[in-house]
Amino acid sequence: DVEEGGETEFPSLNIKIKPKKGKALLWPSVLDNELLVTNDGILHYQQDGRTIHAARPVIKGVKYAANAWIHSHDYMIANRWGCTGTFDEL
């Protein structure tokens, strides 16, 4: 376990989750009932603003983390930032 700091913070929910060895934190980041059509004609699910989050700095100890993007709906095109790792296409 991290001795101090390293929480995952959800500012709009006013909560911080402490990291624990062997535990995982999982949440959906989109609303499943709100489809949006953008100027490019592609359907997108609306982001759930409550899930905007930040990793707080580790003050004492070491934190290891891994990210996994799990798509719960058909995903016809790659998310430009999440899948290519570049900001050039934004």
Side-chain angles (χ1 to χ4, degrees):
D1 291 341
V2 176
E3 296 178 54
E4 187 177 355
E7 302 91 352
T8 299
E9 179 180 20
F10 295 85
S12 67
L13 297 173
N14 198 29
I15 60 173
K16 295 178 186 175
I17 294 94
K18 292 183 178 187
K20 293 261 186 199
K21 185 177 181 178
K23 301 289 182 177
L25 184 59
L26 177 70
W27 63 90
S29 60
V30 296
L31 301 170
D32 63 358
N33 59 347
E34 297 290 334
L35 279 175
L36 301 175
V37 179
T38 58
N39 290 337
D40 57 9
I42 298 171
L43 292 175
H44 298 276
Y45 285 90
Q46 182 177 346
Q47 181 179 3
D48 185 344
R50 298 171 298 174
T51 64
I52 294 172
H53 59 284
R56 305 294 302 157
V58 173
I59 297 168
K60 188 174 182 184
V62 177
K63 177 181 175 180
Y64 296 97
N67 295 322
W69 294 72
I70 302 166
H71 301 286
S72 59
H73 305 286
D74 289 339
Y75 202 69
M76 301 302 289
I77 61 167
N79 174 302
R80 291 185 187 120
W81 175 70
C83 295
T84 66
T86 180
F87 289 103
D88 296 341
E89 299 176 37
L90 294 179

